[in-house]
Amino acid sequence: MRFSIIPAAGLLITLASAAPLTKRDLSPFPLVNGFPNPSQEAILQIQRDGHGTLPNGPPPPTLSPDGTTNLKLIALNELFEVAFFTELMSNVTNKLPGYDLGDRQGYIIESLKAIVNQEEMHVLNANDALKHFNNAPIEGCKYNFPVVDYEGAIALAATFTDLVLGTLQEVSELFARSQDFGLVHAVASVIGNEGSQEGFFRAEQKKRPSAQPFLTSSSRDFAFTAIQDFVVEGSCPNINTIPLKRFKPLAVETKDVKAETQNIKFSFSMRDAGMFEIDMLKLVWISGQNVPVVKGLQNVEMKDDRVMFEAEFPFEEFVMEGLTIAAVTMGKDSFEGAGEVAEKTVFGPGIIELD
């Protein structure tokens, strides 16, 4: 079966479905402390409030092209996180509707304050390394965050942090393969920091602190795509300098996914697709450190302006708890890892979190 569909751009949030609390007309930057270009005095305060210092060792002697891309993606993501957690801390501090936490207010504010300042240091570290090697620092964007209360914000934070933890696995591997050995230690330390945050987010949702024995791997292209689900289109001054792919959106239509083997419903826009053979498309699941699982598309139909389909979710065979990433691929029937999946992805990522 062949579909001929006129392509067009669209924006679909695939990590969350709630309506935004507010729409940002202006960038959140600069912050009151001058970030992302703070003075030396402001940096000292960021370090105090972040309970540690920026690395003070010498930079590596060289930086590969892949290493440069890694640092640019890290800076882009950390800027997004600074904006998200700054807004969340403000909402909790001001006890906006849905953000009044009663007796827990002080502890949560102190926790978020530490997170904000630690993420600011992650940005400064990545951008300073880029500047050292004569690359322009990545600049912040305008954002829309699809949350209406503290509970929803923490759930979203847990999801994008899971994706970050998966992506930093690939980043570390690429640093090592490109012989950017001097950057591996710093990224490994950030993985530990983000993992600590993830344990906090999970505990806030009354989940066990650790989701999986081996966290789900991801790819830079999936993270690059997912970040832009929260960005006002066209608002990032130099995102075009990051040589990564942005995929067309894949919507997970099954809203109440159970921890069991089942068929999951998906959709993508007919306007986002070109000419393709439906039999050439596959739904690929990425979970834990397992080889990606490839499934055929079932019950494909056109509904309004969407292509609807189902695919088997083999939960029981692979114990797919924690983060699972879905992607629609074309041109290959088996993959060794998330990076190979990203190379053949057409639509994605679709995100499922189970506990």
Side-chain angles (χ1 to χ4, degrees), residues 60 62-75 125-126 129-130 133 167-191 220:
T62 59
L63 182 65
S64 70
D66 245 340
T68 302
T69 300
N70 283 345
L71 290 175
K72 289 182 176 182
L73 178 63
I74 289 170
N125 193 50
L130 288 170
F133 290 102
T167 305
L168 289 177
Q169 296 172 38
E170 183 179 66
V171 164
S172 297
E173 182 178 351
L174 290 171
F175 273 142
R177 285 186 178 183
S178 301
Q179 299 189 339
D180 295 318
F181 301 121
L183 296 170
V184 175
H185 276 266
V187 170
S189 73
V190 171
I191 291 173
R220 297 184 302 180

Side-chain angles (χ1 to χ4, degrees), residues 11 76 80 141-145 226-236 239 246:
L11 180 65
L76 181 75
F80 154 71
C141 313
K142 301 175 186 177
Y143 306 94
N144 282 323
F145 302 124
I227 290 167
Q228 293 178 78
D229 284 343
F230 305 98
V231 165
V232 176
E233 197 70 31
S235 70
C236 300
I239 196 172
R246 183 183 183 184

Side-chain angles (χ1 to χ4, degrees), residues 44-55:
L44 293 174
Q45 189 60 49
I46 289 170
Q47 292 179 141
R48 284 191 288 268
D49 291 339
H51 306 283
T53 66
L54 287 161

Side-chain angles (χ1 to χ4, degrees), residues 55-173:
N56 63 1
T62 59
L63 182 65
S64 70
D66 245 340
T68 302
T69 300
N70 283 345
L71 290 175
K72 289 182 176 182
L73 178 63
I74 289 170
L76 181 75
N77 176 73
E78 301 292 9
L79 282 161
F80 154 71
E81 291 194 17
V82 170
F84 179 87
F85 289 116
T86 297
E87 182 169 298
L88 176 55
M89 185 170 68
S90 175
N91 291 346
V92 173
T93 300
N94 293 300
K95 299 185 178 182
L96 296 186
Y99 294 90
D100 186 345
L101 305 180
D103 293 341
R104 302 179 64 246
Q105 202 92 356
Y107 165 71
I108 298 302
I109 290 171
E110 284 303 308
S111 298
L112 293 174
K113 181 179 179 181
I115 289 172
V116 167
N117 285 276
Q118 289 165 7
E119 302 298 0
E120 288 179 4
M121 282 191 273
H122 294 168
V123 175
L124 294 173
N125 193 50
N127 270 339
D128 283 351
L130 288 170
K131 287 186 284 188
H132 178 80
F133 290 102
N134 299 314
N135 292 281
I138 295 301
E139 299 178 50
C141 313
K142 301 175 186 177
Y143 306 94
N144 282 323
F145 302 124
V147 293
V148 296
D149 56 24
Y150 178 77
E151 181 180 346
I154 290 298
L156 180 56
T159 299
F160 67 64
T161 302
D162 262 345
L163 192 62
V164 169
L165 286 165
T167 305
L168 289 177
Q169 296 172 38
E170 183 179 66
V171 164
S172 297
E173 182 178 351

